């Protein structure tokens, strides 16, 4: 395990607008070497032979299996075909990739250091963007879609709050890619990728697989013209409710540290790159021994999660369609 490191160990620019981010692209060659190395993990590792996340480097067979849930992907197929048919031929070349394209594993929850495949929603005409969003909406639950759209809107709210990187922190600075041929029989799917939003959706017959997924928001409650937009509130309330039921005497089992401050966390979580998580971009083959409290040791009511928040509280952004909010600036 590496020694404890602090933010001052990394000579990143700290003044406004000094990070080399322009038009949703991070120029890693203009960063200090260690910062560039850490922030290009996804790009460097996406072509490595896939193993998966394991506890000791050895995959455990039989953990998952495909089950035909009886859910028809028809609505998503129709939406995806309408989206692709509406694009110009030169756009379809990069908007749709083969099912086994390596770009499936190439993503970042920050700012890409490469030119991504797929179509950037911000660069699509309004109708094309609406059709792209319709694919996502047809693939997710209403609550799930509302959460994704809220996080996208709050990304622009962040840009307004800090008044910086205004060509990057926007509602539609996300790349959308279709993989495979949309069909009710053959596997196909899509990827939505960008700052604070990464969703991978695969249809295999009647089963929908969503993995990996990353959703984050800063802020989580909109301000100004984004007032009324909320994200991740339900998850926070359920987690807090569960946390309050745990025995304080077992804190060593379930707490990684007394706070999220770098000085209170183990070194592997304290760096400025990982956002306090481990299984981010470029971590497909992560070796992660089990940690945390053992679920089987908890009382039944704690395992069941009774007393949680209403799962339907997230609100979508004010603009329900793919159009930008009035007055939006790049």
């Amino acid at each position: 395990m590496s020694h404890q490191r602090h933010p001052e160990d990394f000579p990143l620019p700290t003044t406004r607008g000094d990070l080399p981010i322009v038009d949703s692209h991070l120029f890693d060659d203009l960063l200090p070497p260690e910062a560039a190395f850490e922030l290009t993990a996804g790009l460097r590792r996406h072509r490595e032979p896939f193993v998966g996340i394991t506890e000791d480097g050895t995959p455990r067979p039989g953990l998952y299996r495909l089950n035909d849930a009886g859910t028809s992907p028809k609505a998503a197929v129709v939406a995806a075909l309408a989206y692709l048919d509406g694009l110009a031929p030169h756009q379809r070349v990069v908007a749709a990739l083969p099912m086994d394209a390596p770009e499936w594993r190439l993503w970042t929850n920050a700012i890409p250091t490469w030119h991504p495949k797929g179509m950037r929603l911000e660069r699509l005409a309004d109708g094309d963007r609406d059709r792209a969003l319709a694919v996502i909406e047809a693939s997710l639950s209403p609550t799930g879609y509302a959460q994704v759209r809220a996080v996208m809107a709050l990304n622009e709210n962040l840009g307004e709050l800090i008044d910086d990187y205004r060509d990057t922190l926007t509602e539609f600075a996300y790349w959308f890619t279709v993989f495979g041929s949309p069909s009710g029989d053959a596997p196909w799917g899509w990827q939505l990728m960008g700052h604070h939003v990464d969703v991978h959706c695969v249809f295999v017959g009647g089963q929908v697989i969503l993995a990996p997924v990353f959703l984050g928001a800063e802020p989580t409650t909109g301000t100004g013209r984004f007032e009324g937009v909320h994200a991740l509130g339900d998850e926070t309330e359920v987690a807090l409710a569960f946390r309050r039921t745990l025995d304080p005497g077992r804190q060593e089992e379930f707490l990684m540290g007394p706070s999220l401050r770098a000085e209170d966390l183990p070194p592997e979580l304290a760096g400025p790159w990982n956002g306090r998580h481990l299984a981010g971009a470029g971590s497909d083959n992560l070796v992660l021994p089990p940690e945390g409290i053992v679920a089987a040791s908890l009382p039944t009511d704690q395992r069941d999660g009774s007393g949680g928040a209403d799962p339907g509280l997230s609100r979508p952004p004010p603009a329900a369609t793919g159009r930008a909010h009035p007055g939006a600036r790049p």
Side-chain angles (χ1 to χ4, degrees), residues 29-307:
D29 57 322
L30 300 177
L31 288 172
E34 186 168 4
F37 181 80
E38 295 289 347
L39 292 171
T40 56
L43 180 61
R44 286 186 288 105
R45 297 173 180 168
H46 78 285
R47 288 182 178 269
E48 294 177 352
F50 179 80
V51 176
I53 297 177
T54 64
E55 57 186 358
D56 58 6
T58 303
R60 293 172 57 188
L63 287 177
Y64 306 100
R65 63 181 180 180
L66 291 175
N67 295 313
D68 190 344
T71 301
S72 171
K74 182 178 179 180
V77 171
V78 171
L81 291 175
Y83 163 66
L84 294 174
D85 289 345
L87 296 177
H90 70 279
Q91 293 175 314
R92 286 197 295 272
V93 172
V94 296
L97 300 179
M99 188 63 184
D100 59 354
E103 281 80 5
W104 260 126
R105 295 172 58 198
L106 179 56
W107 59 276
T108 176
N109 59 285
I111 312 299
T113 59
W114 67 95
H115 191 76
K117 297 291 198 304
M119 299 304 298
R120 186 174 166 191
L121 297 179
E122 197 158 52
R123 298 291 183 254
L124 287 174
D126 287 347
D128 292 331
R129 184 166 61 231
D130 289 346
R131 284 187 286 273
L133 292 171
V135 181
I136 302 170
E137 184 174 17
S139 305
L140 305 179
S141 69
T143 300
Y145 179 69
Q147 186 91 286
V148 169
R149 292 291 290 113
V151 169
M152 292 169 63
L154 290 169
N155 190 55
E156 183 162 327
N157 196 186
L158 173 61
E160 292 186 353
L161 288 172
I162 66 173
D163 193 24
D164 210 352
Y165 308 111
R166 298 299 293 275
D167 60 356
T168 298
L169 295 176
T170 65
E171 182 177 353
F172 296 115
Y174 298 93
W175 285 265
F176 180 69
T177 310
V178 174
F179 290 86
S181 300
S183 162
D185 301 314
W188 71 280
W190 52 263
Q191 176 195 73
L192 180 68
M193 184 203 76
H195 187 242
H196 286 173
V197 179
D198 292 276
V199 183
H200 296 73
C201 178
V202 178
F203 293 93
V204 182
Q207 180 159 319
V208 182
I209 302 166
L210 293 166
V213 171
F214 180 101
L215 293 177
E218 183 185 11
T220 57
T221 299
T223 60
R225 64 194 180 91
F226 293 97
E227 185 175 357
V229 181
H230 307 282
L232 305 174
D234 304 337
E235 291 81 358
T236 301
E237 290 303 316
V238 169
L240 284 173
F242 172 64
R243 164 69 179 88
R244 291 169 182 140
T245 68
L246 295 174
D247 182 354
R250 301 183 66 183
Q251 287 193 133
E252 292 296 322
E253 296 179 61
F254 60 78
L255 280 186
M256 299 298 293
S259 82
L260 285 178
R261 293 179 299 183
E263 58 268 27
D264 292 331
L265 290 170
E268 64 271 19
L269 291 177
W273 321 112
N274 56 24
R276 306 297 189 261
H277 63 82
L278 294 175
S283 300
D284 287 348
N285 297 333
L286 178 69
V287 176
L288 184 65
E291 295 179 281
I293 198 165
V294 177
S297 71
L298 296 173
T300 302
D301 58 338
Q302 291 179 339
R303 291 199 306 269
D304 293 344
S306 57

